[in-house]
Amino acid sequence: MDFSLSEEQQAYRQTARAFAEKELAPNSADWDRESFFPIDVIKRAGTLGFCSLYTAEADGGMGLGRLNSCLILEELARGCTATTAFITIHNMATWMISRYGSEALRTQWCPKLVTGNLLASYCLTEPGAGSDAASLTTSAKIDGDDYIINGSKMFISGAGATDVLVVMARTGEPGAKGISSFVIPANAQGVSFGKKEKKMGWNAQPTSSVTFSDVRVHQSQRIGEEGEGFKIAMSGLDGGRINIATCSLGTAQAALEQAQKYMHERKQFGKALAQFQALQFKLADMATELVAARQMVHLAAWKLDNSSPDATTYSAMAKRFATDAGFTICNEALQIHGGYGYLNDFPLERHVRDSRVHQILEGTNEIMRLIIARRILNEGALEAIR
């Protein structure tokens, strides 16, 4: 095994780090305070290919694997968690169109999505269908050459500010086999958006509900065949879980660096905090957890790149471990800062707020445990995950 990065991978990471340090990190605190969605900055990220990391080159994307994408996304999240998290969602929606859409659909949407000139939201979650996505009720009924879509989605990142909606809706029987996927312009007649939610974190991206009232969509806007929507959604979520885990890595890295710096600067009882063994041990544990989480995320990404049959299990493991570890590291970094960590003048309280939601999204970590447990309980599964 060779765990070292190639020159190409180092270049990807350095490019992302330079962009994050110039465009994201200096502005992230203000974006959070003002609940500002930095669309222009996201579009500039698009000029570097960051809006189409793993979209196929044939459709204008970078065509990277998930492991190389992780290297880039971690550096971006180190600069601004909330903005990077939205970029990952846009990447997932764009990839779905590129991977499963018809040639005509790809030609229609991909050129502007891959550059960030159009931004996409992913619409799966509903008021009554969160982790149980197969129970969604938004309907898409045939009417001539069109579908008529009715229903509502909630907790949609970017809703009201993005241009394109990738929507899962029911075209057939109850359960997973009755779900199909569609591309719907955000300004289509009958599409409306709820109020912008006031959230604990991720304030640099809007979150709203979306309502579809007799929205007419031509059959050509369906992604894949009828009944393939749930399969498409789940294939996107494997990568989505790795993306969210990677955002936790970047946020935790930023928190760890801030804590290390503060321990050298802050003095109590006549000596720097860095000289107190208890805090040294705390920092050591934080660093160890971060390295372990990073290795697990990279392994899951490698398995997804190589179409490993246990990629879903490892994606769930990586998401569960890295998001829990990321939040803990951010919280411990805040604790090292004492009262200063609780102030908005320091980034730690933002890191804690932003990283907390990662334990909930793309399936709660309780759902991740269920996925892992089912795998382990299957005959021979323990051998398979060694």
Side-chain angles (χ1 to χ4, degrees), residues 84-129:
T84 303
F86 175 78
I87 290 174
T88 71
I89 294 166
H90 172 85
N91 266 276
M92 180 173 66
T94 302
W95 172 80
M96 286 180 174
I97 297 171
S98 171
R99 174 67 178 82
Y100 296 103
S102 66
E103 183 177 354
L105 195 66
R106 299 196 308 271
T107 300
Q108 178 183 358
W109 292 110
C110 285
K112 290 188 176 180
L113 287 171
V114 299
T115 60
N117 286 325
L118 292 180
L119 297 179
S121 290
Y122 177 60
C123 303
L124 175 63
T125 302
E126 296 183 359

mmCIF file of all heavy atoms in Angstrom, residues 84-129:
data_model
loop_
_atom_site.group_PDB
_atom_site.id
_atom_site.type_symbol
_atom_site.label_atom_id
_atom_site.label_comp_id
_atom_site.label_asym_id
_atom_site.label_seq_id
_atom_site.Cartn_x
_atom_site.Cartn_y
_atom_site.Cartn_z
ATOM 1 N N THR A 84 -18.677 25.167 1.368
ATOM 2 C CA THR A 84 -18.192 23.916 0.781
ATOM 3 C C THR A 84 -19.278 22.857 0.793
ATOM 4 O O THR A 84 -19.422 22.097 -0.179
ATOM 5 C CB THR A 84 -16.959 23.418 1.542
ATOM 6 O OG1 THR A 84 -15.959 24.431 1.524
ATOM 7 C CG2 THR A 84 -16.411 22.143 0.912
ATOM 8 N N ALA A 85 -20.046 22.792 1.856
ATOM 9 C CA ALA A 85 -21.124 21.809 1.924
ATOM 10 C C ALA A 85 -22.107 22.022 0.779
ATOM 11 O O ALA A 85 -22.579 21.054 0.162
ATOM 12 C CB ALA A 85 -21.836 21.896 3.272
ATOM 13 N N PHE A 86 -22.428 23.296 0.481
ATOM 14 C CA PHE A 86 -23.317 23.524 -0.666
ATOM 15 C C PHE A 86 -22.650 23.088 -1.966
ATOM 16 O O PHE A 86 -23.302 22.487 -2.833
ATOM 17 C CB PHE A 86 -23.757 24.988 -0.787
ATOM 18 C CG PHE A 86 -24.558 25.190 -2.047
ATOM 19 C CD1 PHE A 86 -25.879 24.803 -2.102
ATOM 20 C CD2 PHE A 86 -23.945 25.665 -3.203
ATOM 21 C CE1 PHE A 86 -26.603 24.903 -3.281
ATOM 22 C CE2 PHE A 86 -24.658 25.771 -4.389
ATOM 23 C CZ PHE A 86 -25.999 25.392 -4.423
ATOM 24 N N ILE A 87 -21.370 23.376 -2.116
ATOM 25 C CA ILE A 87 -20.662 22.969 -3.329
ATOM 26 C C ILE A 87 -20.737 21.453 -3.511
ATOM 27 O O ILE A 87 -20.884 20.956 -4.631
ATOM 28 C CB ILE A 87 -19.201 23.464 -3.286
ATOM 29 C CG1 ILE A 87 -19.159 24.990 -3.446
ATOM 30 C CG2 ILE A 87 -18.360 22.804 -4.380
ATOM 31 C CD1 ILE A 87 -17.774 25.604 -3.270
ATOM 32 N N THR A 88 -20.671 20.708 -2.415
ATOM 33 C CA THR A 88 -20.771 19.243 -2.521
ATOM 34 C C THR A 88 -22.162 18.829 -2.999
ATOM 35 O O THR A 88 -22.308 17.872 -3.770
ATOM 36 C CB THR A 88 -20.463 18.533 -1.192
ATOM 37 O OG1 THR A 88 -21.516 18.746 -0.246
ATOM 38 C CG2 THR A 88 -19.144 18.989 -0.617
ATOM 39 N N ILE A 89 -23.191 19.533 -2.547
ATOM 40 C CA ILE A 89 -24.558 19.221 -2.962
ATOM 41 C C ILE A 89 -24.737 19.517 -4.446
ATOM 42 O O ILE A 89 -25.333 18.721 -5.196
ATOM 43 C CB ILE A 89 -25.567 20.006 -2.107
ATOM 44 C CG1 ILE A 89 -25.501 19.526 -0.655
ATOM 45 C CG2 ILE A 89 -26.986 19.868 -2.666
ATOM 46 C CD1 ILE A 89 -26.188 20.447 0.333
ATOM 47 N N HIS A 90 -24.228 20.656 -4.881
ATOM 48 C CA HIS A 90 -24.280 21.001 -6.305
ATOM 49 C C HIS A 90 -23.539 19.953 -7.138
ATOM 50 O O HIS A 90 -24.023 19.528 -8.202
ATOM 51 C CB HIS A 90 -23.661 22.381 -6.527
ATOM 52 C CG HIS A 90 -23.501 22.737 -7.966
ATOM 53 N ND1 HIS A 90 -24.511 23.296 -8.723
ATOM 54 C CD2 HIS A 90 -22.441 22.577 -8.809
ATOM 55 C CE1 HIS A 90 -24.073 23.471 -9.964
ATOM 56 N NE2 HIS A 90 -22.824 23.056 -10.037
ATOM 57 N N ASN A 91 -22.383 19.512 -6.654
ATOM 58 C CA ASN A 91 -21.625 18.474 -7.350
ATOM 59 C C ASN A 91 -22.441 17.196 -7.491
ATOM 60 O O ASN A 91 -22.447 16.562 -8.550
ATOM 61 C CB ASN A 91 -20.320 18.176 -6.599
ATOM 62 C CG ASN A 91 -19.139 18.975 -7.116
ATOM 63 O OD1 ASN A 91 -18.491 18.598 -8.090
ATOM 64 N ND2 ASN A 91 -18.873 20.096 -6.465
ATOM 65 N N MET A 92 -23.129 16.805 -6.420
ATOM 66 C CA MET A 92 -23.915 15.572 -6.452
ATOM 67 C C MET A 92 -25.061 15.675 -7.457
ATOM 68 O O MET A 92 -25.287 14.744 -8.249
ATOM 69 C CB MET A 92 -24.455 15.257 -5.064
ATOM 70 C CG MET A 92 -25.277 13.980 -5.009
ATOM 71 S SD MET A 92 -25.747 13.494 -3.323
ATOM 72 C CE MET A 92 -26.853 14.840 -2.886
ATOM 73 N N ALA A 93 -25.770 16.790 -7.444
ATOM 74 C CA ALA A 93 -26.889 16.960 -8.364
ATOM 75 C C ALA A 93 -26.411 16.983 -9.818
ATOM 76 O O ALA A 93 -27.026 16.363 -10.698
ATOM 77 C CB ALA A 93 -27.641 18.254 -8.030
ATOM 78 N N THR A 94 -25.314 17.678 -10.070
ATOM 79 C CA THR A 94 -24.763 17.742 -11.421
ATOM 80 C C THR A 94 -24.309 16.367 -11.892
ATOM 81 O O THR A 94 -24.550 15.961 -13.045
ATOM 82 C CB THR A 94 -23.587 18.740 -11.468
ATOM 83 O OG1 THR A 94 -24.048 20.026 -11.036
ATOM 84 C CG2 THR A 94 -23.013 18.857 -12.867
ATOM 85 N N TRP A 95 -23.658 15.616 -10.996
ATOM 86 C CA TRP A 95 -23.205 14.261 -11.327
ATOM 87 C C TRP A 95 -24.378 13.352 -11.671
ATOM 88 O O TRP A 95 -24.290 12.521 -12.586
ATOM 89 C CB TRP A 95 -22.421 13.685 -10.153
ATOM 90 C CG TRP A 95 -22.086 12.238 -10.314
ATOM 91 C CD1 TRP A 95 -21.080 11.685 -11.035
ATOM 92 C CD2 TRP A 95 -22.805 11.136 -9.722
ATOM 93 N NE1 TRP A 95 -21.096 10.315 -10.932
ATOM 94 C CE2 TRP A 95 -22.146 9.957 -10.137
ATOM 95 C CE3 TRP A 95 -23.914 11.042 -8.884
ATOM 96 C CZ2 TRP A 95 -22.589 8.688 -9.741
ATOM 97 C CZ3 TRP A 95 -24.349 9.794 -8.489
ATOM 98 C CH2 TRP A 95 -23.689 8.636 -8.916
ATOM 99 N N MET A 96 -25.483 13.487 -10.966
ATOM 100 C CA MET A 96 -26.652 12.653 -11.249
ATOM 101 C C MET A 96 -27.159 12.864 -12.671
ATOM 102 O O MET A 96 -27.496 11.908 -13.379
ATOM 103 C CB MET A 96 -27.775 12.959 -10.255
ATOM 104 C CG MET A 96 -27.540 12.413 -8.870
ATOM 105 S SD MET A 96 -28.922 12.814 -7.776
ATOM 106 C CE MET A 96 -28.446 11.908 -6.312
ATOM 107 N N ILE A 97 -27.203 14.115 -13.099
ATOM 108 C CA ILE A 97 -27.649 14.410 -14.469
ATOM 109 C C ILE A 97 -26.658 13.847 -15.471
ATOM 110 O O ILE A 97 -27.038 13.223 -16.473
ATOM 111 C CB ILE A 97 -27.816 15.926 -14.660
ATOM 112 C CG1 ILE A 97 -28.915 16.461 -13.736
ATOM 113 C CG2 ILE A 97 -28.139 16.255 -16.119
ATOM 114 C CD1 ILE A 97 -29.014 17.974 -13.697
ATOM 115 N N SER A 98 -25.379 14.027 -15.206
ATOM 116 C CA SER A 98 -24.336 13.534 -16.104
ATOM 117 C C SER A 98 -24.307 12.013 -16.156
ATOM 118 O O SER A 98 -24.170 11.411 -17.229
ATOM 119 C CB SER A 98 -22.972 14.063 -15.653
ATOM 120 O OG SER A 98 -21.913 13.450 -16.362
ATOM 121 N N ARG A 99 -24.461 11.366 -15.004
ATOM 122 C CA ARG A 99 -24.326 9.905 -14.918
ATOM 123 C C ARG A 99 -25.549 9.171 -15.449
ATOM 124 O O ARG A 99 -25.426 8.133 -16.108
ATOM 125 C CB ARG A 99 -24.076 9.515 -13.452
ATOM 126 C CG ARG A 99 -24.054 8.020 -13.167
ATOM 127 C CD ARG A 99 -22.856 7.344 -13.817
ATOM 128 N NE ARG A 99 -22.829 5.934 -13.481
ATOM 129 C CZ ARG A 99 -23.549 4.993 -14.114
ATOM 130 N NH1 ARG A 99 -24.363 5.340 -15.104
ATOM 131 N NH2 ARG A 99 -23.451 3.724 -13.756
ATOM 132 N N TYR A 100 -26.745 9.694 -15.202
ATOM 133 C CA TYR A 100 -27.961 8.949 -15.515
ATOM 134 C C TYR A 100 -28.856 9.617 -16.563
ATOM 135 O O TYR A 100 -29.806 8.992 -17.033
ATOM 136 C CB TYR A 100 -28.775 8.734 -14.238
ATOM 137 C CG TYR A 100 -28.078 7.873 -13.217
ATOM 138 C CD1 TYR A 100 -27.463 8.444 -12.095
ATOM 139 C CD2 TYR A 100 -28.028 6.491 -13.354
ATOM 140 C CE1 TYR A 100 -26.823 7.651 -11.145
ATOM 141 C CE2 TYR A 100 -27.385 5.695 -12.410
ATOM 142 C CZ TYR A 100 -26.784 6.281 -11.309
ATOM 143 O OH TYR A 100 -26.144 5.500 -10.381
ATOM 144 N N GLY A 101 -28.578 10.869 -16.900
ATOM 145 C CA GLY A 101 -29.439 11.577 -17.829
ATOM 146 C C GLY A 101 -29.220 11.173 -19.278
ATOM 147 O O GLY A 101 -28.167 10.647 -19.648
ATOM 148 N N SER A 102 -30.232 11.432 -20.105
ATOM 149 C CA SER A 102 -30.101 11.190 -21.544
ATOM 150 C C SER A 102 -29.095 12.166 -22.144
ATOM 151 O O SER A 102 -28.720 13.170 -21.521
ATOM 152 C CB SER A 102 -31.454 11.368 -22.223
ATOM 153 O OG SER A 102 -31.865 12.728 -22.141
ATOM 154 N N GLU A 103 -28.666 11.890 -23.359
ATOM 155 C CA GLU A 103 -27.725 12.792 -24.023
ATOM 156 C C GLU A 103 -28.318 14.187 -24.154
ATOM 157 O O GLU A 103 -27.636 15.201 -23.944
ATOM 158 C CB GLU A 103 -27.344 12.239 -25.389
ATOM 159 C CG GLU A 103 -26.313 13.098 -26.122
ATOM 160 C CD GLU A 103 -25.890 12.504 -27.456
ATOM 161 O OE1 GLU A 103 -26.314 11.375 -27.770
ATOM 162 O OE2 GLU A 103 -25.122 13.181 -28.179
ATOM 163 N N ALA A 104 -29.605 14.249 -24.508
ATOM 164 C CA ALA A 104 -30.257 15.554 -24.665
ATOM 165 C C ALA A 104 -30.310 16.305 -23.341
ATOM 166 O O ALA A 104 -30.091 17.526 -23.288
ATOM 167 C CB ALA A 104 -31.668 15.363 -25.223
ATOM 168 N N LEU A 105 -30.598 15.572 -22.252
ATOM 169 C CA LEU A 105 -30.679 16.212 -20.935
ATOM 170 C C LEU A 105 -29.309 16.716 -20.501
ATOM 171 O O LEU A 105 -29.181 17.832 -19.969
ATOM 172 C CB LEU A 105 -31.229 15.208 -19.923
ATOM 173 C CG LEU A 105 -31.725 15.775 -18.586
ATOM 174 C CD1 LEU A 105 -32.936 16.655 -18.804
ATOM 175 C CD2 LEU A 105 -32.066 14.645 -17.619
ATOM 176 N N ARG A 106 -28.286 15.925 -20.743
ATOM 177 C CA ARG A 106 -26.927 16.339 -20.385
ATOM 178 C C ARG A 106 -26.514 17.562 -21.187
ATOM 179 O O ARG A 106 -25.901 18.495 -20.654
ATOM 180 C CB ARG A 106 -25.940 15.190 -20.618
ATOM 181 C CG ARG A 106 -26.226 13.953 -19.781
ATOM 182 C CD ARG A 106 -25.047 12.999 -19.735
ATOM 183 N NE ARG A 106 -24.535 12.663 -21.058
ATOM 184 C CZ ARG A 106 -24.955 11.654 -21.799
ATOM 185 N NH1 ARG A 106 -25.958 10.877 -21.357
ATOM 186 N NH2 ARG A 106 -24.404 11.388 -22.969
ATOM 187 N N THR A 107 -26.829 17.556 -22.472
ATOM 188 C CA THR A 107 -26.480 18.689 -23.333
ATOM 189 C C THR A 107 -27.206 19.957 -22.899
ATOM 190 O O THR A 107 -26.657 21.062 -22.954
ATOM 191 C CB THR A 107 -26.822 18.371 -24.801
ATOM 192 O OG1 THR A 107 -26.080 17.210 -25.209
ATOM 193 C CG2 THR A 107 -26.478 19.540 -25.711
ATOM 194 N N GLN A 108 -28.436 19.805 -22.441
ATOM 195 C CA GLN A 108 -29.241 20.950 -22.023
ATOM 196 C C GLN A 108 -28.711 21.595 -20.745
ATOM 197 O O GLN A 108 -28.633 22.827 -20.648
ATOM 198 C CB GLN A 108 -30.695 20.529 -21.814
ATOM 199 C CG GLN A 108 -31.604 21.668 -21.326
ATOM 200 C CD GLN A 108 -33.026 21.191 -21.069
ATOM 201 O OE1 GLN A 108 -33.363 20.019 -21.273
ATOM 202 N NE2 GLN A 108 -33.874 22.099 -20.617
ATOM 203 N N TRP A 109 -28.297 20.765 -19.750
ATOM 204 C CA TRP A 109 -28.030 21.297 -18.424
ATOM 205 C C TRP A 109 -26.559 21.329 -18.021
ATOM 206 O O TRP A 109 -26.123 22.238 -17.310
ATOM 207 C CB TRP A 109 -28.814 20.500 -17.373
ATOM 208 C CG TRP A 109 -30.286 20.679 -17.462
ATOM 209 C CD1 TRP A 109 -31.212 19.760 -17.865
ATOM 210 C CD2 TRP A 109 -31.033 21.876 -17.160
ATOM 211 N NE1 TRP A 109 -32.475 20.289 -17.818
ATOM 212 C CE2 TRP A 109 -32.387 21.594 -17.389
ATOM 213 C CE3 TRP A 109 -30.671 23.152 -16.723
ATOM 214 C CZ2 TRP A 109 -33.392 22.535 -17.182
ATOM 215 C CZ3 TRP A 109 -31.662 24.088 -16.520
ATOM 216 C CH2 TRP A 109 -33.005 23.780 -16.749
ATOM 217 N N CYS A 110 -25.792 20.349 -18.440
ATOM 218 C CA CYS A 110 -24.433 20.225 -17.907
ATOM 219 C C CYS A 110 -23.499 21.398 -18.222
ATOM 220 O O CYS A 110 -22.719 21.799 -17.339
ATOM 221 C CB CYS A 110 -23.801 18.909 -18.372
ATOM 222 S SG CYS A 110 -24.453 17.472 -17.482
ATOM 223 N N PRO A 111 -23.523 21.961 -19.429
ATOM 224 C CA PRO A 111 -22.543 23.024 -19.719
ATOM 225 C C PRO A 111 -22.551 24.168 -18.708
ATOM 226 O O PRO A 111 -21.486 24.689 -18.341
ATOM 227 C CB PRO A 111 -22.947 23.494 -21.116
ATOM 228 C CG PRO A 111 -23.535 22.273 -21.753
ATOM 229 C CD PRO A 111 -24.290 21.600 -20.643
ATOM 230 N N LYS A 112 -23.722 24.572 -18.236
ATOM 231 C CA LYS A 112 -23.779 25.691 -17.291
ATOM 232 C C LYS A 112 -23.682 25.232 -15.827
ATOM 233 O O LYS A 112 -23.273 26.019 -14.970
ATOM 234 C CB LYS A 112 -25.058 26.499 -17.511
ATOM 235 C CG LYS A 112 -25.035 27.287 -18.822
ATOM 236 C CD LYS A 112 -26.207 28.229 -18.940
ATOM 237 C CE LYS A 112 -26.109 29.061 -20.210
ATOM 238 N NZ LYS A 112 -27.242 30.007 -20.359
ATOM 239 N N LEU A 113 -24.039 23.975 -15.565
ATOM 240 C CA LEU A 113 -23.906 23.464 -14.198
ATOM 241 C C LEU A 113 -22.448 23.201 -13.847
ATOM 242 O O LEU A 113 -22.017 23.478 -12.721
ATOM 243 C CB LEU A 113 -24.721 22.179 -14.031
ATOM 244 C CG LEU A 113 -26.236 22.342 -13.965
ATOM 245 C CD1 LEU A 113 -26.912 20.972 -14.035
ATOM 246 C CD2 LEU A 113 -26.665 23.075 -12.694
ATOM 247 N N VAL A 114 -21.682 22.667 -14.783
ATOM 248 C CA VAL A 114 -20.294 22.313 -14.465
ATOM 249 C C VAL A 114 -19.443 23.541 -14.186
ATOM 250 O O VAL A 114 -18.444 23.473 -13.464
ATOM 251 C CB VAL A 114 -19.652 21.447 -15.583
ATOM 252 C CG1 VAL A 114 -20.406 20.144 -15.747
ATOM 253 C CG2 VAL A 114 -19.565 22.209 -16.900
ATOM 254 N N THR A 115 -19.815 24.675 -14.752
ATOM 255 C CA THR A 115 -19.055 25.908 -14.538
ATOM 256 C C THR A 115 -19.548 26.706 -13.340
ATOM 257 O O THR A 115 -18.899 27.662 -12.914
ATOM 258 C CB THR A 115 -19.143 26.809 -15.774
ATOM 259 O OG1 THR A 115 -20.528 27.133 -16.014
ATOM 260 C CG2 THR A 115 -18.558 26.122 -17.010
ATOM 261 N N GLY A 116 -20.703 26.316 -12.802
ATOM 262 C CA GLY A 116 -21.289 27.073 -11.705
ATOM 263 C C GLY A 116 -22.111 28.256 -12.176
ATOM 264 O O GLY A 116 -22.621 29.014 -11.350
ATOM 265 N N ASN A 117 -22.261 28.421 -13.487
ATOM 266 C CA ASN A 117 -23.117 29.502 -13.994
ATOM 267 C C ASN A 117 -24.579 29.246 -13.643
ATOM 268 O O ASN A 117 -25.366 30.188 -13.516
ATOM 269 C CB ASN A 117 -22.950 29.647 -15.504
ATOM 270 C CG ASN A 117 -21.629 30.303 -15.865
ATOM 271 O OD1 ASN A 117 -21.148 31.181 -15.148
ATOM 272 N ND2 ASN A 117 -21.018 29.861 -16.949
ATOM 273 N N LEU A 118 -24.952 27.982 -13.525
ATOM 274 C CA LEU A 118 -26.220 27.597 -12.925
ATOM 275 C C LEU A 118 -25.902 26.775 -11.684
ATOM 276 O O LEU A 118 -24.971 25.974 -11.686
ATOM 277 C CB LEU A 118 -27.067 26.756 -13.887
ATOM 278 C CG LEU A 118 -27.622 27.426 -15.134
ATOM 279 C CD1 LEU A 118 -28.430 26.414 -15.949
ATOM 280 C CD2 LEU A 118 -28.476 28.641 -14.791
ATOM 281 N N LEU A 119 -26.680 26.956 -10.628
ATOM 282 C CA LEU A 119 -26.490 26.197 -9.393
ATOM 283 C C LEU A 119 -27.698 25.300 -9.151
ATOM 284 O O LEU A 119 -28.840 25.663 -9.478
ATOM 285 C CB LEU A 119 -26.283 27.133 -8.206
ATOM 286 C CG LEU A 119 -25.033 28.011 -8.270
ATOM 287 C CD1 LEU A 119 -24.951 28.917 -7.042
ATOM 288 C CD2 LEU A 119 -23.772 27.178 -8.408
ATOM 289 N N ALA A 120 -27.445 24.131 -8.584
ATOM 290 C CA ALA A 120 -28.489 23.125 -8.418
ATOM 291 C C ALA A 120 -28.745 22.802 -6.953
ATOM 292 O O ALA A 120 -27.823 22.790 -6.136
ATOM 293 C CB ALA A 120 -28.111 21.847 -9.171
ATOM 294 N N SER A 121 -30.000 22.498 -6.654
ATOM 295 C CA SER A 121 -30.400 21.968 -5.349
ATOM 296 C C SER A 121 -30.911 20.547 -5.532
ATOM 297 O O SER A 121 -31.444 20.192 -6.587
ATOM 298 C CB SER A 121 -31.505 22.829 -4.723
ATOM 299 O OG SER A 121 -31.023 24.093 -4.333
ATOM 300 N N TYR A 122 -30.756 19.756 -4.482
ATOM 301 C CA TYR A 122 -31.161 18.349 -4.495
ATOM 302 C C TYR A 122 -32.388 18.199 -3.611
ATOM 303 O O TYR A 122 -32.328 18.504 -2.408
ATOM 304 C CB TYR A 122 -30.001 17.485 -3.990
ATOM 305 C CG TYR A 122 -30.296 16.013 -3.875
ATOM 306 C CD1 TYR A 122 -30.669 15.273 -4.992
ATOM 307 C CD2 TYR A 122 -30.184 15.367 -2.654
ATOM 308 C CE1 TYR A 122 -30.923 13.924 -4.888
ATOM 309 C CE2 TYR A 122 -30.426 14.008 -2.536
ATOM 310 C CZ TYR A 122 -30.802 13.284 -3.664
ATOM 311 O OH TYR A 122 -31.048 11.939 -3.565
ATOM 312 N N CYS A 123 -33.503 17.749 -4.189
ATOM 313 C CA CYS A 123 -34.784 17.738 -3.484
ATOM 314 C C CYS A 123 -35.266 16.304 -3.259
ATOM 315 O O CYS A 123 -35.944 15.715 -4.114
ATOM 316 C CB CYS A 123 -35.828 18.511 -4.290
ATOM 317 S SG CYS A 123 -35.373 20.220 -4.653
ATOM 318 N N LEU A 124 -34.936 15.759 -2.113
ATOM 319 C CA LEU A 124 -35.359 14.412 -1.729
ATOM 320 C C LEU A 124 -36.220 14.447 -0.470
ATOM 321 O O LEU A 124 -37.316 13.897 -0.438
ATOM 322 C CB LEU A 124 -34.132 13.523 -1.510
ATOM 323 C CG LEU A 124 -34.384 12.107 -0.980
ATOM 324 C CD1 LEU A 124 -35.198 11.289 -1.980
ATOM 325 C CD2 LEU A 124 -33.067 11.409 -0.653
ATOM 326 N N THR A 125 -35.749 15.090 0.583
ATOM 327 C CA THR A 125 -36.402 15.061 1.888
ATOM 328 C C THR A 125 -37.768 15.742 1.856
ATOM 329 O O THR A 125 -37.945 16.790 1.227
ATOM 330 C CB THR A 125 -35.510 15.751 2.933
ATOM 331 O OG1 THR A 125 -34.257 15.082 2.980
ATOM 332 C CG2 THR A 125 -36.145 15.728 4.306
ATOM 333 N N GLU A 126 -38.729 15.124 2.564
ATOM 334 C CA GLU A 126 -40.077 15.676 2.677
ATOM 335 C C GLU A 126 -40.465 15.762 4.146
ATOM 336 O O GLU A 126 -39.809 15.149 5.010
ATOM 337 C CB GLU A 126 -41.079 14.781 1.935
ATOM 338 C CG GLU A 126 -40.839 14.712 0.439
ATOM 339 C CD GLU A 126 -41.881 13.895 -0.298
ATOM 340 O OE1 GLU A 126 -42.799 13.353 0.362
ATOM 341 O OE2 GLU A 126 -41.772 13.793 -1.521
ATOM 342 N N PRO A 127 -41.542 16.497 4.463
ATOM 343 C CA PRO A 127 -41.963 16.585 5.864
ATOM 344 C C PRO A 127 -42.187 15.221 6.508
ATOM 345 O O PRO A 127 -41.907 15.039 7.695
ATOM 346 C CB PRO A 127 -43.268 17.387 5.780
ATOM 347 C CG PRO A 127 -43.091 18.243 4.564
ATOM 348 C CD PRO A 127 -42.322 17.402 3.592
ATOM 349 N N GLY A 128 -42.675 14.244 5.730
ATOM 350 C CA GLY A 128 -42.926 12.920 6.287
ATOM 351 C C GLY A 128 -41.968 11.849 5.804
ATOM 352 O O GLY A 128 -42.193 10.663 6.031
ATOM 353 N N ALA A 129 -40.923 12.256 5.111
ATOM 354 C CA ALA A 129 -39.976 11.284 4.548
ATOM 355 C C ALA A 129 -38.571 11.853 4.634
ATOM 356 O O ALA A 129 -38.121 12.574 3.743
ATOM 357 C CB ALA A 129 -40.327 10.962 3.097
#
